[in-house]
Amino acid sequence: MSPPAATFENPVAVSGFTMPVKKTLNNLAVKPAVNGQAKTLAEMEDKWESFTFSPIRESQVSRAMTRRYFTDLDNYAESDIVIVGAGSCGLSTAYELAKKRPDLKIAIVEAGVAPGGGAWLGGQLFSAMVMRKPADAFLNDLGVPYEDEGDFVVVKHAALFTSTLLSKVLSFPNIKLFNATAVEDLITRPNPTASDPNAVRIAGVVTNWTLVSMHHDDQSCMDPNTINAPLVISTTGHDGPFGAFCVKRLVSMQQLEKLGGMRGLDMRTAEDAIVKRTREVVKGLIVGGMELSEVDGANRMGPTFGAMALSGVKAAEEALKVIDERKVENSE
């Protein structure tokens, strides 16, 4: 029996965006070699003495990168949704949103060079990832295999989950990931109410390259950049150098009286609380994942990741309830 045909994704236009459609290589004729160069690995086999790469100038590499990056900066300066943090919750949110609303322009801002947050490993540098049911439904949707242990499942390596989720998110044409980029502040607009005349709504994020953000104290001031968006979803994790940034900023802006502070570890209550309480904390800002534990004083759950995935699913659901209304408000 011959092996299954390899697949690749060929973009087609859908509602003004490009969505991938799978085709098989069996349907395509392999192009002949150009300048004698091989087009398949089989053609390269045992011919390394005559091997050479295609010619290139160093400037071509620079232009290929910078042209695309600055085009993306220009394109996503006005986004529909900004997701702050590309950990397991933020990526799960992006995955669900892009599936359901391919018309939305979604920017993900991640302070680290490597997206994925703490989900590349399980607890204490152990590799396996544990998810309590019913979070296995999310794994099934992604196509990530696991071992069923009754009330929970085990993915053989957390990196399998993270890399699969990340690759699927980045394959959506309406998503752009800006990694090594920190959110330094929130863009606000007045939104006075009868009970709070000083209330604001969130209208985007203020960004800077992470290495710049880390050196504001020992270098002269380096002003930031901005992304306007009617809805921001913050999933930056519990308190840390860049963690819980958006909700801490809400306190300093007097939009929240104080943070509840993450409580001790209790898996039995923590995961339910995080998923159930994922919500729009102030108008224009949805908070999910462990950042929410800092707002509500919820317990931590330690090395079990089901709440991160399902909090992302719920964050996407909450976003879809309000995004069209927030877009109208943002245009006023």
Side-chain angles (χ1 to χ4, degrees):
M1 179 183 294
S2 61
T7 63
F8 76 106
E9 292 188 337
N10 186 38
V12 297
V14 176
S15 300
F17 284 87
T18 303
M19 291 297 290
V21 174
K22 290 187 176 180
K23 291 186 177 181
T24 65
L25 291 180
N26 288 348
N27 297 332
L28 302 175
V30 177
K31 294 181 179 180
V34 177
N35 297 328
Q37 288 185 328
K39 288 296 182 182
T40 67
L41 291 178
E43 291 176 9
M44 296 182 198
E45 189 173 343
D46 202 29
K47 297 176 183 175
W48 300 109
E49 290 299 321
S50 60
F51 169 84
T52 183
F53 282 105
S54 298
I56 198 168
R57 287 182 63 81
E58 289 78 4
S59 59
Q60 289 178 279
V61 176
S62 293
R63 285 170 171 163
M65 292 187 299
T66 57
R67 183 186 302 120
R68 287 164 175 79
Y69 191 86
F70 285 106
T71 297
D72 286 334
L73 281 178
D74 180 72
N75 188 29
Y76 283 86
E78 282 281 355
S79 294
D80 293 312
I81 295 177
V82 173
I83 298 173
V84 188
S88 49
C89 182
L91 291 174
S92 299
T93 305
Y95 174 73
E96 286 297 308
L97 282 172
K99 278 197 313 177
K100 295 177 178 178
R101 287 288 299 270
D103 59 305
L104 295 177
K105 189 189 301 183
I106 302 167
I108 307 175
V109 182
E110 165 56 43
V113 172
W120 289 108
L121 286 168
Q124 199 169 319
L125 304 183
F126 301 143
S127 57
M129 172 178 275
V130 175
M131 284 195 179
R132 294 165 64 198
K133 292 181 177 179
D136 56 322
F138 190 72
L139 297 175
N140 293 337
D141 197 87
L142 285 178
V144 174
Y146 53 80
E147 300 172 32
D148 194 321
E149 296 284 350
D151 289 330
F152 63 92
V153 301
V154 183
V155 179
K156 69 177 182 180
H157 202 299
L160 176 61
F161 166 79
T162 306
S163 60
T164 302
L165 176 57
L166 180 60
S167 66
K168 287 182 180 291
V169 166
L170 293 181
S171 71
F172 286 106
N174 56 325
I175 290 179
K176 172 60 184 179
L177 168 67
F178 295 98
N179 53 323
T181 305
V183 169
E184 291 191 336
D185 206 349
L186 299 170
I187 299 172
T188 64
R189 298 285 186 265
N191 186 59
T193 64
S195 59
D196 185 0
N198 297 315
V200 301
R201 63 177 174 84
I202 307 304
V205 295
V206 179
T207 64
N208 217 326
W209 282 317
T210 302
L211 291 176
V212 173
S213 292
M214 293 171 65
H215 287 280
H216 281 316
D217 292 338
D218 55 49
Q219 296 291 330
S220 60
C221 178
M222 290 166 278
D223 281 330
N225 210 337
T226 57
I227 301 176
N228 280 104
L231 188 60
V232 175
I233 303 174
S234 192
T235 64
T236 64
H238 53 71
D239 196 4
F242 292 100
F245 173 80
C246 290
V247 296
K248 287 187 287 189
R249 187 69 181 99
L250 290 181
V251 174
S252 62
M253 290 192 300
Q254 300 181 339
Q255 298 303 300
L256 289 179
E257 182 180 351
K258 64 179 182 178
L259 297 182
M262 184 173 63
R263 307 300 170 87
L265 192 150
D266 184 347
M267 289 183 183
R268 295 175 299 177
T269 63
E271 290 204 284
D272 287 1
I274 291 299
V275 176
K276 289 179 178 180
R277 297 284 287 168
T278 296
R279 66 193 187 280
E280 192 175 35
V281 173
V282 300
K283 184 174 280 192
L285 180 67
I286 292 172
V287 180
M290 290 308 295
E291 186 169 0
L292 195 63
S293 69
E294 299 288 355
V295 179
D296 294 340
N299 295 91
R300 63 186 298 185
M301 74 276 304
T304 175
F305 288 83
M308 297 300 97
L310 296 188
S311 177
V313 173
K314 185 159 189 278
E317 184 179 314
E318 295 297 309
L320 295 180
K321 291 177 183 177
V322 300
I323 181 58
D324 293 321
E325 179 182 347
R326 298 292 171 266
K327 288 173 74 172
V328 170
E329 293 169 338
N330 203 51
S331 65
E332 295 173 350

